[in-house]
């Protein structure tokens, strides 16, 4: 899979991610309650001590993450610069690390599952998986990074 | 790069598409979150005859709480609420209303237990006991929760046979449902949700509750 294909998929995934994270972020600031399909644990998760970092809701960071994913994808589609390929991989991995942490918190610490968080986990996992597929296909990246 | 300069039209299109996507995502979020609960957001300010109240016996200041005995956020609010019950005991009427959420499988049973205790005049006693022991009974099977509640009632020296029978009664089920239906009608979707004189409080921390009550006291005692 080429980075171009990955970027196209990223656009679609980031679009969904923006809606998902945007919804939770707006609900956080407007004080409204989220409707919670399937898993039913949203309010437990979203009001837990782990729902904010440095005063901002986790979903706001998620929103910025998806905005960055979208921006990188468009930058790549526009310019095809090599450094963006590396940036895509790093961004994907960073997002995935946070995803692992938050899924761990939901399952083992808060013991409640929030539907929107799991949607986001699925999206960010797909995002990193695609970037990895492109990376593995176009190795070695060492030469590319130095350009 | 140079190959793209001839395609500036395509590039403009590409970035316009990007902006459109962000705007579209924003619009979808706006539509999904507009009108927070789908209800009026205001609560009829009057008290009902069978409301569970504590604090002042008569006051212009009415604090209503929609709560669920099995909800962790409601448990987290307890220390703050209990200090408010004490601090504003002479100036505020505190009302507890039920909103047992469907994802908490013993919440309705707990609400029924509180109503059964209320029948014997011990609503607030079992209210405190239910929250204090929430971690023991939250999420356990319904039949075990039921016997747990009967044991709690016994600890509060309630008449347990009558308590267990009341918990089955259609009357109490309807009483709990009435609170929950009203919550749905006015757009309360989560717990805990607080109202002062019919106006929903948008609280970010429990300190905000105290601030709202202080303001309420100031305005209700103003000439």
């Amino acid at each position: 899979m080429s980075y171009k294909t990955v970027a196209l998929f990223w656009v679609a995934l980031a679009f969904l991610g923006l809606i998902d994270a945007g919804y939770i972020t707006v609900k956080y600031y407007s004080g409204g309650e989220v409707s919670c399909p399937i898993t039913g644990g949203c309010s437990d998760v979203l009001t837990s001590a782990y729902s904010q970092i440095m005063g901002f809701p986790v979903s706001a960071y998620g929103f910025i993450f998806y905005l960055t994913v979208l921006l990188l994808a468009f930058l790549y589609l526009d310019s095809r610069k090599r450094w963006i390929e590396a940036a895509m991989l790093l961004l994907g991995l960073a997002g995935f690390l946070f995803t692992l942490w938050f899924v761990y918190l939901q399952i083992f610490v808060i013991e409640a599952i929030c539907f929107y968080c799991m949607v986001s986990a699925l999206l960010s996992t797909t995002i990193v998986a695609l970037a990895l597929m492109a990376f593995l296909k176009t190795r070695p990246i060492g030469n590319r990074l130095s350009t | 790069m140079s190959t793209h300069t001839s395609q500036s039209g395509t590039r403009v299109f590409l970035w316009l598409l990007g902006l459109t996507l962000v705007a579209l995502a924003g619009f979808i979020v706006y539509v999904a979150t507009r009108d927070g609960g789908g209800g009026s957001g205001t609560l009829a300010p009057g008290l009902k005859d069978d409301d569970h109240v504590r604090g002042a016996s008569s006051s212009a200041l009415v604090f209503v709480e929609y709560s669920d005995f099995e909800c962790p956020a409601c448990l987290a609010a307890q220390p703050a609420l209990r200090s408010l019950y004490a601090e504003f005991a002479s100036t505020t009427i505190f009302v507890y209303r039920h909103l047992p959420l469907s994802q908490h499988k013993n919440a309705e049973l707990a609400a029924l237990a509180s109503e059964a205790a209320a029948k014997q005049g011990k609503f607030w006693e079992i209210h405190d006991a239910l929250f204090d022991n929430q971690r023991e009974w939250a999420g356990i099977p319904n039949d075990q929760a039921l016997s747990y509640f009967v044991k709690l009632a016994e600890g509060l020296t309630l008449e347990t046979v009558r308590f267990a029978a009341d918990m089955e009664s259609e009357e109490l089920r309807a009483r709990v449902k009435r609170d929950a239906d009203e919550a749905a009608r006015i757009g309360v979707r989560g717990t805990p949700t607080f109202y002062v004189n019919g106006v929903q409080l948008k609280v970010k921390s429990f300190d905000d509750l105290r601030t709202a009550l202080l303001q309420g006291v100031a305005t209700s005692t103003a000439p």
Side-chain angles (χ1 to χ4, degrees):
Chain A
M1 180 175 285
S2 71
Y3 277 99
K4 184 194 166 194
T5 317
V6 170
L8 287 171
F9 275 111
W10 271 33
V11 170
L13 293 166
F15 177 67
L16 297 175
L18 284 176
I19 295 171
D20 185 58
Y23 175 73
I24 295 300
T25 308
V26 171
K27 280 294 188 183
Y28 176 88
Y29 284 109
S30 68
E33 286 299 322
V34 299
S35 54
C36 192
I38 307 170
T39 60
C42 296
S43 61
D44 297 349
V45 174
L46 298 172
T47 57
S48 75
Y50 307 96
S51 65
Q52 42 177 284
I53 298 172
M54 294 186 298
F56 295 100
V58 166
S59 57
Y61 296 93
F63 190 83
I64 292 168
F65 170 73
Y66 290 115
L67 214 52
T68 317
V69 168
L70 193 68
L71 183 72
L72 270 189
F74 272 100
L75 271 177
Y76 188 75
L77 290 173
D78 184 16
S79 71
R80 306 287 159 84
K81 281 186 182 158
R82 291 272 161 83
W83 69 265
I84 303 174
E85 298 177 355
M88 284 168 77
L89 188 65
L90 289 176
L91 181 70
L93 286 172
F96 185 62
L97 284 182
F98 276 99
T99 292
L100 284 182
W101 171 239
F102 290 123
V103 170
Y104 161 79
L105 283 177
Q106 285 182 75
I107 296 175
F108 296 104
V109 182
I110 309 170
E111 294 180 355
I113 300 291
C114 149
F115 171 73
Y116 303 96
C117 314
M118 294 314 267
V119 167
S120 186
L122 196 66
L123 290 174
S124 67
T125 306
T126 316
I127 281 171
V128 75
L130 289 169
L132 272 176
M133 279 160 70
F135 169 72
L136 291 175
K137 194 187 164 211
T138 56
R139 274 184 311 176
I141 201 170
N143 306 333
R144 294 163 177 272
L145 275 175
S146 56
T147 54
Chain B
M1 278 299 287
S2 56
T3 58
H4 289 275
T5 48
S6 59
Q7 304 172 344
S8 61
T10 317
R11 295 187 61 184
V12 170
F13 172 76
L14 187 70
W15 287 102
L16 277 180
L17 181 69
L19 282 177
T20 310
L21 279 181
V22 173
L24 188 61
F27 179 72
I28 292 174
V29 167
Y30 167 74
V31 170
T33 56
R34 158 185 76 161
D35 185 22
S40 62
T42 54
L43 175 69
L47 288 175
K48 298 184 172 66
D49 290 342
D50 56 355
D51 264 330
H52 304 295
V53 295
R54 69 190 291 166
S57 50
S58 75
S59 170
L61 198 56
V62 178
F63 179 97
V64 175
E65 171 196 6
Y66 277 97
S67 189
D68 167 345
F69 290 112
E70 196 174 349
C71 117
C74 304
L75 174 63
Q78 282 305 302
L81 283 171
R82 287 177 196 183
S83 73
L84 294 180
Y85 294 156
E87 182 177 356
F88 295 92
S90 60
T91 53
T92 305
I93 301 174
F94 291 94
V95 183
Y96 182 99
R97 287 187 186 156
H98 301 288
L99 180 53
L101 300 174
S102 55
Q103 69 261 31
H104 299 138
K105 53 185 181 179
N106 293 322
E108 200 196 350
L109 217 50
L112 288 170
S114 75
E115 287 298 330
K119 281 245 167 207
Q120 300 182 45
K122 291 209 168 168
F123 174 81
W124 290 101
E125 286 80 353
I126 204 164
H127 163 279
D128 289 357
L130 284 168
F131 276 122
D132 290 342
N133 300 294
Q134 190 197 71
R135 289 188 177 91
E136 307 252 325
W137 59 266
I140 65 175
N142 284 159
D143 52 335
Q144 288 177 31
L146 184 62
S147 43
Y148 188 91
F149 296 150
V150 173
K151 225 168 59 201
L152 269 191
E154 198 177 355
L156 294 170
T157 65
L158 295 176
E159 210 181 293
T160 51
V161 177
R162 192 180 141 202
F163 176 88
D166 281 342
M167 276 191 72
E168 307 276 322
S169 90
E170 203 43 53
E171 177 201 344
L172 296 194
R173 194 172 297 278
R175 167 71 182 78
V176 171
K177 190 171 179 298
R178 186 195 74 192
D179 278 358
D181 286 349
E182 182 170 28
R185 189 175 56 74
I186 60 176
V188 180
R189 282 201 187 156
T191 50
T193 299
F194 307 102
Y195 284 86
V196 168
N197 287 355
V199 181
Q200 189 177 336
L201 300 181
K202 305 272 184 197
V203 290
K204 290 269 170 282
S205 77
F206 296 130
D207 284 344
D208 295 350
L209 290 178
R210 187 167 178 271
T211 313
L213 280 180
L214 285 173
Q215 276 168 4
V217 171
T219 44
S220 68
T221 54

